[in-house]
Amino acid sequence: MRWHEASWGCRASNWTRTEDTLMTRSTNSSCRTWAAWLTALLMVIAATMVVSDAIAQGAPVDQATAQQKAKARVHFAKAKRAFAAKKHEEALTELRASYAIVASPNSRIMIVQVLDAMGRSAEAYGEASAVMTEAEAAAAGNPKYAQTADAARQLRDSIRPHVGMLTVQVPPDTTGAVTINGVEFPRGYWNQPVPVMPGPLTVQLDQQPAKQLGIEAGGEATVNVAPPPPLPPPPPPPPPIADVEEEDDEDSLGMKGAIGIVAA
């Protein structure tokens, strides 16, 4: 099951860039209003999930061939035209296709911008975090990617007021499954803040009682779903009652009678 996406209002922005240079942004207007109630949690976070579930990673920039770069640019050009026409899904598809050929941090940063324009703020925040890590690593071989890392950091900071940060605390030795709004929450994201869309959340560990909470845009929340402590062992059974030998009443009376007669 995939995370459902909420429907949001608009954020009109103009972007300009080329494949090997940073994009600049001129925001004309910004509006974020609910178009439909949040039906489930939007959660696509950090590099691992984004790469494995959404983006196939291509050749590193410094290892890509001229032919690979040419193919990547074709997809990138299509993405630019689609984005200008506000065909965001098409733009996202083309950008991911470009990134699958050449893993350019500059291509991925545009994915952040498209996601943000689509109102998929939590996903955009996680993707921006991944771009920062990727660009910082690429900057070791090409200093220009230090600018990409800075741009990704600025984008992430601009998105932060529109998402909440949720930390689900779970003991590390827990073997069960955690769900958020009915969707399994990956174990790799336990015990760390992750971006979520604002709204009501239901967090549950297996069949334990669910935890209900709400999170606001720009806010933070922590929920502990530790399993209950194991029941104490039952008390030991009481020791058996020892048998007690009782004197025979008749024999006892007979002896007393005999003693009484002799004494008289």
Side-chain angles (χ1 to χ4, degrees):
M1 182 182 296
R2 297 183 61 133
W3 297 100
H4 296 284
E5 297 166 8
S7 298
W8 288 82
C10 61
R11 173 181 279 188
S13 304
N14 295 328
W15 304 93
T16 58
R17 62 160 289 161
T18 64
E19 173 63 15
D20 295 320
T21 59
L22 293 177
M23 177 178 291
T24 58
R25 176 180 183 180
S26 173
T27 302
N28 296 325
S29 63
S30 176
C31 61
R32 291 177 178 269
T33 56
W34 289 103
W37 184 248
L38 182 65
T39 57
L41 177 67
L42 171 64
M43 176 75 71
V44 181
I45 46 179
T48 303
M49 179 177 292
V50 173
V51 171
S52 62
D53 289 351
I55 301 179
Q57 190 168 10
V61 177
D62 58 350
Q63 299 176 21
T65 65
Q67 185 179 13
Q68 287 174 317
K69 291 181 178 180
K71 289 181 178 180
R73 288 193 180 100
V74 170
H75 288 290
F76 184 79
K78 291 180 179 179
K80 285 182 64 177
R81 290 193 294 270
F83 187 69
K86 300 189 184 301
K87 298 179 180 179
H88 295 138
E89 286 290 353
E90 181 180 340
L92 195 58
T93 298
E94 293 294 340
L95 286 168
R96 287 173 172 166
S98 178
Y99 188 82
I101 299 170
V102 178
S104 168
N106 283 344
S107 296
R108 199 170 186 187
I109 199 171
M110 188 175 177
I111 292 176
V112 177
Q113 297 158 348
V114 173
L115 290 170
D116 192 33
M118 296 170 73
R120 292 161 62 172
S121 302
E123 189 173 353
Y125 185 96
E127 187 74 9
S129 297
V131 176
M132 283 174 51
T133 301
E134 184 177 276
E136 287 169 354
N142 191 334
K144 77 174 183 180
Y145 288 112
Q147 292 179 299
T148 305
D150 290 339
R153 185 177 295 103
Q154 292 174 16
L155 267 175
R156 190 186 66 171
D157 292 346
S158 71
I159 296 167
R160 177 63 183 91
H162 305 291
V163 301
M165 299 300 292
L166 175 68
T167 300
V168 180
Q169 293 182 338
V170 193
D173 57 349
T174 299
T175 58
V178 175
T179 59
I180 300 179
N181 286 2
V183 182
E184 186 170 350
F185 183 54
R187 179 180 293 267
Y189 301 106
W190 294 1
N191 302 309
Q192 60 180 296
V194 294
V196 298
M197 295 302 293
L201 303 176
T202 300
V203 184
Q204 188 172 22
L205 172 64
D206 289 338
Q207 300 303 314
Q208 301 297 328
K211 302 288 184 72
Q212 307 285 342
L213 70 152
I215 191 166
E216 298 180 352
E220 299 178 1
T222 299
V223 59
N224 190 314
V225 292
L231 296 175
I241 300 175
D243 293 333
V244 179
E245 295 183 1
E246 296 182 358
E247 295 180 351
D248 187 288
D249 291 342
E250 293 182 358
D251 291 344
S252 177
L253 290 173
M255 283 298 292
K256 289 180 179 178
I259 294 172
I261 294 171
V262 171

